[in-house]
Amino acid sequence: MNRRVVITVTDERGAVVSDACSAEPPPPPAPTPTGPSVADCCSDLKRELGDLTNLLRQLLQKQQALQDEIDKLEKGNQAQAKNIQDKIDALPKPLNESQVGNVVDTHLERFRDPRFSLLGINIGADDHRDITFTGRGRFFAPFKDHFAVQAQGEYLYFRNQREAQFDIGLVDRIGAFQAGLFGSFKHVSLRDPSVSGAVPATWGKRP
């Protein structure tokens, strides 16, 4: 009959103490974890700096594109403003006060009926070498369609005689016919005061 005895040895903490001869060697300790190396840190930093550089380059490109667009819009606005200003400058300028007066006078003169006036003066001497004077004047002013006002005067001066006459009247012309109604005022003065006086008269005429 065979018997087998097993002996278990424990330490003071109760842990089993294996046989030094038969026990397997303990496993090697795990390697202590180490941090990243300097080369890895520089590589990561370089990569991040490159990404940041690319981001800044993209931002600068976008800013330049926006600036180009703004410059293009400003040039377009300046060209449009210049075009509008050129059109404004090409518009006729408003007339000033003197120009307006000239235009009004021109239009009034165009629609104004023509006037006719005549003036004649003679100065001389008679047989006794006394001064003589005669003067005549006539004024004709049409108005409306076929009416006119006619006025005329005459003055005679001699040494022993003075004579003045003034006529005024209304003339109406229809076709080839003309009629007028006049009033005449005449004053005669001779050397003798007793024969001086005024002679009014009213008369009409037609051609």
Side-chain angles (χ1 to χ4, degrees):
M1 179 176 179
N2 293 330
R3 294 183 179 180
R4 187 177 180 180
V5 179
V6 179
I7 300 173
T8 302
V9 181
T10 60
D11 56 9
E12 65 275 6
R13 294 176 297 178
V16 177
V17 178
S18 62
D19 188 2
C21 296
S22 62
E24 295 181 358
T32 304
T34 59
S37 64
V38 177
D40 295 336
C41 292
C42 292
S43 179
D44 295 339
L45 182 61
K46 185 177 180 180
R47 184 176 62 256
E48 292 177 359
L49 288 176
D51 296 339
L52 183 60
T53 302
N54 293 331
L55 180 60
L56 291 175
R57 186 179 294 111
Q58 293 177 1
L59 291 176
L60 290 176
Q61 292 176 354
K62 291 182 180 180
Q63 182 182 3
Q64 186 63 36
L66 290 175
Q67 187 64 38
D68 295 339
E69 188 69 21
I70 292 173
D71 295 339
K72 183 178 179 181
L73 292 175
E74 288 181 353
K75 290 180 180 179
N77 291 334
Q78 291 177 358
Q80 186 176 4
K82 186 177 182 301
N83 188 18
I84 294 175
Q85 186 63 37
D86 293 339
K87 291 181 179 180
I88 293 175
D89 295 338
L91 294 176
K93 299 296 186 298
L95 301 178
N96 53 32
E97 184 177 356
S98 60
Q99 292 175 341
V100 172
N102 293 332
V103 171
V104 173
D105 293 339
T106 302
H107 282 277
L108 291 178
E109 189 66 26
R110 182 183 302 173
F111 292 101
R112 184 178 299 170
D113 295 327
R115 264 68 170 171
F116 174 77
S117 59
L118 180 65
L119 179 65
I121 298 175
N122 294 320
I123 300 176
D126 58 8
D127 296 340
H128 301 284
R129 295 184 179 180
D130 294 326
I131 296 176
T132 61
F133 172 82
T134 60
R136 296 178 181 178
R138 178 177 295 180
F139 178 75
F140 187 84
F143 64 94
K144 296 297 182 180
D145 295 333
H146 48 82
F147 293 100
V149 175
Q150 180 175 336
Q152 59 188 19
E154 181 179 17
Y155 180 75
L156 304 176
Y157 172 82
F158 297 94
R159 181 175 181 273
N160 298 323
Q161 179 182 353
R162 295 180 181 85
E163 182 178 343
Q165 182 174 346
F166 177 75
D167 304 326
I168 186 170
L170 180 65
V171 179
D172 183 13
R173 171 174 290 182
I174 302 176
F177 298 95
Q178 176 176 311
L181 180 63
F182 286 80
S184 180
F185 304 91
K186 188 170 187 178
H187 179 79
V188 178
S189 177
L190 302 176
R191 188 70 174 179
D192 187 357
S194 62
V195 297
S196 63
V199 181
T202 303
W203 52 279
K205 72 172 184 178
R206 67 177 183 177

